[in-house]
Amino acid sequence: MERFGTFLGEASSLSRHFDTLFLALFILCSLVTIIITFLIVFFAIKYRRGASTSRFIIRKSTAIEFAWTIIPFGLFLAIFVWAAYFYTELLVPPDDATVDLDIAIVGKQWMWKLQHPNGKREINKLHVPLGKNVRLTMISQDVIHSFFIPAFRIKHDVLPGRYITIWFRPIKLGKYHLFCAEYCGTDHSRMVGQVIVMEPSAYAQWLQQK
Ligand SMILES: [Cu+2]
């Protein structure tokens, strides 16, 4: 069963971490919104035209000023550090020696071209073995594209003239959407594909097929 709050399947080792981060950010922002909205409405009513409330007593509290500046700052800074940590996780595989599979990807208007280590190529389809660390080295042939697999929670811009490396470890068999997430021209909306997670033995067999 899917976890509450997630409408997408969690199909990679990083999915859950990004979901928790998103949930924390959502809750924090909701609290800030609720508190500020409440205060706006509360003061608008309290100091409405004609209200008998005194407008001349001004009490200053440095402690309160510091508290409402430093506490939210600290909370949002923590979210930033948390997000930066997992962004680094996405870019850097746990250890170079633990990469099981290297895939080379070229984005172009309007398709994804992918190549496996033995030279086998595919277009708009990516077959990967379950439970293995897959490293993607991506570049674009023309404009900026963005490689996006929602179920894996991985998305990264693919640029012309610069290699980008990200990685993932699929934890669930199945077929998943692959999108281009950066508007790249007329047929951007058709620049879609499929990621197929297979048992390692089935993948090995598939790799040998002509
Ligand atoms: Cu594109």
Side-chain angles (χ1 to χ4, degrees), residues 107-112 140 142-147 158 179-185 187-189 191:
K108 58 175 280 191
Q109 287 167 322
W110 289 276
M111 64 181 78
W112 296 107
S140 165
D142 36 51
V143 299
I144 299 174
H145 301 279
S146 182
F147 190 84
V158 178
F179 295 111
C180 175
E182 179 68 56
Y183 180 67
C184 59
D187 278 344
H188 161 69
S189 61
M191 195 167 163

Side-chain angles (χ1 to χ4, degrees), residues 8-11 15 19 148-155 176-179:
L8 291 163
E10 291 175 337
S15 300
D19 287 356
F148 182 28
I149 307 172
F152 291 0
R153 309 293 187 274
I154 68 166
K155 184 204 273 180
Y176 304 98
H177 288 297
L178 161 64
F179 295 111

Side-chain angles (χ1 to χ4, degrees), residues 51-70:
S52 57
T53 312
S54 165
R55 289 167 171 78
F56 299 103
I57 303 166
I58 298 167
R59 270 175 296 164
K60 269 201 161 180
S61 165
T62 318
I64 288 179
E65 297 262 352
F66 269 109
W68 77 39
T69 307
I70 288 170

